[in-house]
Structure formats: structure tokens, C-alpha cells
Amino acid sequence: MKIAASVLALLSLAFPWPSAQAPQPPATQVVRGHFDRGAARYQYLPIEVSPGTEAITISYRYTGDDGSSVIDLGLFEPGPLALGSPAFRGYSGGAQRTITVGRNSASPGYKTGPLPPGQWHVMLGLYRVAPAGVDVEIEITEAREESSVTTDPKGPALQPAAAPPPEKGPRWYSGGLHLHTSHSDGALDPAALANAARVAGYDFIAITDHNNTTHTREPLPPSPLHIAGEEVTTPAGHANAWGLPEGAWIDFRVSPNEPGAAEQINSLVAAVHRAGALFSISHPVDNCAGCSWDQLIPDGIDAVEIWQNEKSPRGAEVAFWDRLLRAGRHVTAIGVSDWHRSPARMDRAAVRVLADSLTERAVIDGIRRGHVVVMRDAT
């Protein structure tokens, strides 16, 4: 028995048995596509996700990344790609070249959760395409074990203040209704932004990242009051939704030159209202590509911006609002900072809302009733 055991030990050294615990190398696939000018705004490249995958990392690169082409990134799990699809897993626009989506953690802008096997789709938003077209290469790496994805706060480490008790009786509250974090193209993570907003003098803020509400998964200080929002960034205008429940998402993939665009825009507004939220057109007359509101003006619009950041109210936007009023549409005017990063001031412009208390529902109701004053700053 001793000789047999010794021989077996020598054989094991010479020919090691494969270990069931040996880590498997990550599976990587590469998908490529070429798109000419004039191609549909949103393109969907299929990728395969294997059973047992706990996280996927997606990196992309494209020609003309010096500004001649600008390509946005989004992701859908297996399921329909139709407007409002529950298969939507997230959107980062052009802010990140590499994203990770896992069961328990994900890059900013993307939802966590199980990764169902099968055919996923990487969504490419062709914001700008060079005259010769654009070549896109996507690399997808699967992982059987998940490593956490963290957001690096780039703001000051301020101590959160205790939330004040709700006040009784009506009062004017100072608010910022258009603020961006690192979950889209802002510089600060949600907690750092909230702390900076409190220092700026806001009683409440609405975080309105582009095409996602994933900032809601991060802890926030109790003050200022936080209202979950989303800037619905369509190819022909932006709009903010304020007061969305956790996990809600309002689709943005409506091009005005496509059949049924008017009905689709109205359906988005209806989805916002079903969620108990408000719909407000952002910077309706602007000078950046796709920023002005060139969609149908929805029937259920609740508000419109007439003043953004440190500039004075824009005459063209006041005229936009005035045309709505003359048509009998009682739409509330608001002022916002549309803040992304310093050195821009977070507190210019702002609103005062007359509300029964400093709660999300009371503030939303105050805006809905039109009890709003546009202010130069938060204080």
C-alpha cells in the first residue's frame, strides 16, 4: 500500500489532475459595424451572453473620435427593442468608453441584476457621423465572478446635515430642477452633488441624468430633499421628468422624422404621468445639436424652461412659453442651472415653489398647480 501510494504521488506530480476549482479564462467576443451618414439614429448590434455569466464588461472605440464622429452607448438584455421595452439595461451616452454590468453592481447609468443568457444588444446612438462614415468596434468580456464597480466621488467630502422636520403650513422652498451627476455627463457623484446643493442653499433638488435614473441606488444625505428625475434626451429635444419612482425609466428613442413620432412623444408623456411625475421641456430654443425642442409639443406638457444657468432669461424661450399661454395651455415656466460641473454655478438659475411641506409630493403638487417663481439664484 505504501508503494502504491508513493507511485500515485509521483504520477500526480508528473501529470497534475485538472482542478474543478481552477478559474476559467474570461470569454471575450468582438463585434464590428460600419455606419454611413444618414443611417438610422439608433443601431443595435447583437452579442451573446453565456449561461452562468455574473458580469459583462463592454468597451467600444470608433473612428473619428476626435469629434468628427460622436457615438453614444446603451445596452438591452434579451427582449423586445420596441419603445418602452423592459429589456433596457442602461445608457451612458458618450461619457464612458468602458462599462460593466453585473448582478450586484454596475457602472453609472446601468441597472444591476441577473444577466439572462441569450442575445443581448449593444445600442449605438449615432449622434454625429463623419462624412466618410464611422467604424465601430465593441469588445465584450464575460466574467463568472463579479467584482464590484464603484463610482469615484470628485467632490468635497462634506458632512451631511440632519433632515429638518417637515414644516406645517405653506412656504416657499428653493429648488434646483435640472442637475446632472456622474451617472450621465456630470462631474460629481450623487452624494457629493447633494452636499454641494445644500451648501448652495437649495431646499430640494431633482437629479435629472440623461436617459437613466440609476443614481437612485446610491445613498444620499437627508438634506436637501431629493426628487428622482430623468432628462429624456431625444434626438430632437430634451425634457425632464420629475418625481419618478425608484427603478422607473422613460424611453427617449423618438425621432421626429419617423412614422408615428407624434404618437410616440405623447405616449412618453403619458408614461411620465402614470408614474405620478411631471414632464417639462428643457432649453426649448438652444444652439447645440439636438437640444432645441423640435418634436411635437405634447398635449400634457407641465412646464418649460425659460432660463438656464447664469445667463439671463432667453427671449426666444420666453416667446416659446408665451405662445403656449396664448394657445390656452397653462404651462409653468421654470429656471434651472442645468448644472454639470464647476466652475459653473450650481445655484443659477433656480425656482421657488409654494408647497404645503418639504416633501416630494407637496413640491410636485406645487409645480403642477403653477405655484412657482423663477429666481436668479437659490438664495
Side-chain angles (χ1 to χ4, degrees):
M1 295 295 294
K2 292 182 179 179
I3 296 175
S6 299
V7 171
L8 182 59
L10 290 173
L11 288 172
S12 298
L13 291 173
F15 305 101
W17 296 97
S19 171
Q21 303 300 319
Q24 298 295 315
T28 299
Q29 56 186 300
V30 176
V31 178
R32 297 180 178 88
H34 173 85
F35 307 99
D36 294 319
R37 267 192 173 180
R41 175 62 175 263
Y42 300 109
Q43 301 290 331
Y44 304 89
L45 297 184
I47 62 174
E48 291 296 326
V49 173
S50 306
T53 299
E54 289 293 298
I56 54 174
T57 296
I58 298 174
S59 300
Y60 78 118
R61 61 189 66 87
Y62 54 90
T63 57
D65 199 4
D66 55 358
S68 56
S69 290
V70 177
I71 309 299
D72 296 333
L73 183 69
L75 185 64
F76 286 79
E77 66 180 36
L81 297 175
L83 197 69
S85 171
F88 179 75
R89 284 299 290 256
Y91 175 89
S92 50
Q96 305 174 62
R97 288 292 180 270
T98 299
I99 61 100
T100 296
V101 177
R103 179 182 294 274
N104 300 303
S105 63
S107 296
Y110 293 85
K111 297 179 181 179
T112 61
L115 276 65
Q119 187 177 84
W120 291 52
H121 287 89
V122 174
M123 187 195 77
L124 301 175
L126 308 185
Y127 181 82
R128 183 183 303 138
V129 177
V134 60
D135 293 304
V136 183
E137 181 178 275
I138 303 169
E139 183 176 291
I140 307 98
T141 302
E142 298 179 347
R144 301 297 178 184
E145 295 182 0
E146 184 180 6
S147 58
S148 63
V149 179
T150 59
T151 302
D152 179 24
K154 300 178 178 63
L158 303 176
Q159 293 299 317
E167 298 187 21
K168 297 181 179 180
R171 179 188 152 188
W172 290 96
Y173 293 99
S174 174
L177 290 170
H178 192 160
L179 303 169
H180 293 274
T181 75
S182 54
H183 283 255
S184 60
D185 54 352
L188 301 183
D189 71 15
L193 181 140
N195 282 326
R198 187 184 73 250
V199 172
Y202 283 124
D203 297 311
F204 68 89
I205 56 171
I207 294 179
T208 55
D209 283 314
H210 294 285
N211 301 334
N212 75 77
T213 57
T214 59
H215 75 273
T216 57
R217 69 171 176 246
E218 297 197 29
L220 290 172
S223 177
L225 172 71
H226 163 243
I227 296 173
E230 174 190 341
E231 186 163 23
V232 184
T233 309
T234 84
H238 304 180
N240 279 326
W242 306 311
L244 294 171
E246 185 176 355
W249 168 65
I250 306 302
D251 210 331
F252 55 92
R253 299 169 295 154
V254 178
S255 297
N257 56 350
E258 294 181 353
E263 292 80 4
Q264 290 177 337
I265 282 291
N266 277 320
S267 73
L268 298 190
V269 178
V272 170
H273 289 163
R274 283 195 302 272
L278 302 181
F279 186 95
S280 173
I281 293 179
S282 307
H283 38 71
V285 184
D286 211 340
N287 54 12
C288 68
C291 294
S292 295
W293 189 261
D294 293 323
Q295 305 272 12
L296 167 85
I297 298 177
D299 295 333
I301 177 178
D302 298 296
V304 63
E305 293 178 4
I306 63 166
W307 189 347
Q308 300 94 35
N309 49 63
E310 298 177 53
K311 304 170 187 175
S312 61
R314 300 178 184 176
E317 294 184 333
V318 173
F320 183 98
W321 175 49
D322 186 60
R323 287 193 296 273
L324 294 174
L325 298 178
R326 288 174 180 271
R329 304 176 73 172
H330 299 290
V331 175
T332 301
I334 62 165
V336 300
S337 64
D338 192 1
W339 192 85
H340 291 73
R341 60 185 50 81
S342 298
R345 289 188 57 166
M346 183 182 290
D347 63 337
R348 291 192 177 179
V351 293
R352 299 287 193 279
V353 176
L354 181 62
D356 292 336
S357 62
L358 188 56
T359 62
E360 177 178 308
R361 189 44 47 199
V363 170
I364 291 296
D365 286 345
I367 299 172
R368 182 182 289 112
R369 294 193 299 265
H371 296 172
V372 176
V373 178
V374 177
M375 305 293 292
R376 180 177 298 276
D377 55 42
T379 56

